Amino acid sequence: MSLFDLAGKNAFVTGASRGIGRSIAVALAGAGADVALVARSERGLAETAADITALGRTALVIPADVTSQPAVDAAVAAAIGQLGHVDVVVNNAGGSNFMVAFLDLRLSGWEKIMRLNLDSAVYVCHAIGGHLLERAEGSVINVASVTGMTGSPLLAPYGAAKAGLISLTKSLAVEWGTTGVRVNALCPGWTATELNRSLWDDPVSGPATVATVPMRRWARAEEMAGPAVFLASAASSYMTGQVLVVDGGQTVWP
Ligand SMILES: NC(=O)c1ccc[n+]([C@@H]2O[C@H](COP(=O)([O-])OP(=O)(O)OC[C@H]3O[C@@H](n4cnc5c(N)ncnc54)[C@H](OP(=O)(O)O)[C@@H]3O)[C@@H](O)[C@H]2O)c1
């Protein structure tokens, strides 16, 4: 267990009000970390915070919109100010609320998805990178998607943003390689959350969606938590710039 121990560590998790972000935040607390929770929904954040305090850890609720750089700057300052320091950063806020053929895509839609899935992580890394480097330790986990590893018909902005996030991960890993700060990406496959309820909740489209997944089922959000704790902890101390794919085998099935 000590390999995965996060006692004395503080984490900053975006998109922590539900879904994968909540599962990761609670799992980090379960491994011993105190956690700053960032998202827009104060109610969702309060629910996540309750799960964390039940584990005997501190949860700091920071309502913020990660698509606003000033809001991200303020959130990072609040986390460092109130927790003292931050060791683990999880850029998890993201998603796409539409699917559209490329020629029907409005530029405003492209910009919105890029801001949420890529620019937000840039804002966070920019705001917190100096702090991590100064302390010469840290683990940044960018929650990308298998969508960023393949072509993504009808989801071009989302796929491009996640591909960009994977590239950002690799660039920062190289730039920060000797600093003690590691940067990795976690790529979930189909995971049943609010993001895609309309798919998995449907008796036809639910199984059809995972028909090309060797494990033939949707992931649960909690199944992203173990890989995140692994990337956050000393268990992955020689890993940086990597893409950890958690997809039930989807990307290896031709
Ligand atoms: N579910 C999947 O199949 C899947 C697959 C691959 C990758 N992913 C990725 O995994 C991550 C989590 O997705 P999920 O499935 O857990 O989705 P979800 O249930 O919709 O949760 C998304 C989280 O992001 C937060 N968020 C959204 N917009 C935000 C904003 N502007 N500012 C701050 N927080 C914001 C939401 O909180 P508020 O609404 O309270 O702000 C929520 O906490 C995303 O990056 C997604 O792209 C998901």
Side-chain angles (χ1 to χ4, degrees), residues 44-229:
L45 291 174
E47 288 171 8
T48 308
D51 290 350
I52 287 175
T53 49
L55 293 167
R57 303 310 326 163
T58 297
L60 182 62
V61 167
I62 307 177
D65 182 339
V66 296
T67 63
S68 156
Q69 187 178 13
V72 168
D73 284 350
V76 166
I80 295 171
Q82 292 186 51
L83 295 176
H85 67 269
V86 171
D87 309 277
V88 176
V89 178
V90 184
N91 288 311
N92 163 80
S96 177
N97 55 2
F98 62 85
M99 296 176 78
V100 65
F102 181 73
L103 289 181
D104 295 328
L105 172 68
R106 287 193 301 249
L107 214 56
S108 56
W110 170 270
E111 287 165 356
K112 185 178 159 197
I113 296 301
M114 294 302 277
R115 254 199 314 278
L116 175 58
N117 291 279
L118 180 56
D119 296 2
S120 64
V122 173
Y123 300 156
V124 172
C125 290
H126 227 259
I128 213 163
H131 173 77
L132 299 177
L133 265 55
E134 206 172 286
R135 298 189 72 245
E137 66 172 279
S139 172
V140 178
I141 302 166
N142 292 324
V143 179
S145 169
V146 294
T147 312
M149 303 172 64
T150 61
S152 309
L154 309 183
L155 280 169
Y158 183 66
K162 293 302 194 185
L165 186 56
I166 291 170
S167 175
L168 176 73
T169 299
K170 295 177 180 178
S171 299
L172 293 186
V174 175
E175 281 196 33
W176 296 350
T178 60
T179 66
V181 179
R182 301 182 294 109
V183 188
N184 291 288
L186 173 60
C187 280
W190 292 111
T191 308
T193 65
E194 282 309 310
L195 184 62
N196 42 35
R197 174 180 286 279
S198 58
L199 282 178
W200 57 261
D201 214 16
D202 181 275
V204 176
S205 63
T209 304
V210 291
T212 56
V213 174
M215 290 179 74
R216 296 291 206 292
R217 67 171 177 84
W218 287 72
R220 299 181 299 278
E222 306 84 73
E223 291 180 297
M224 302 303 145
V229 171

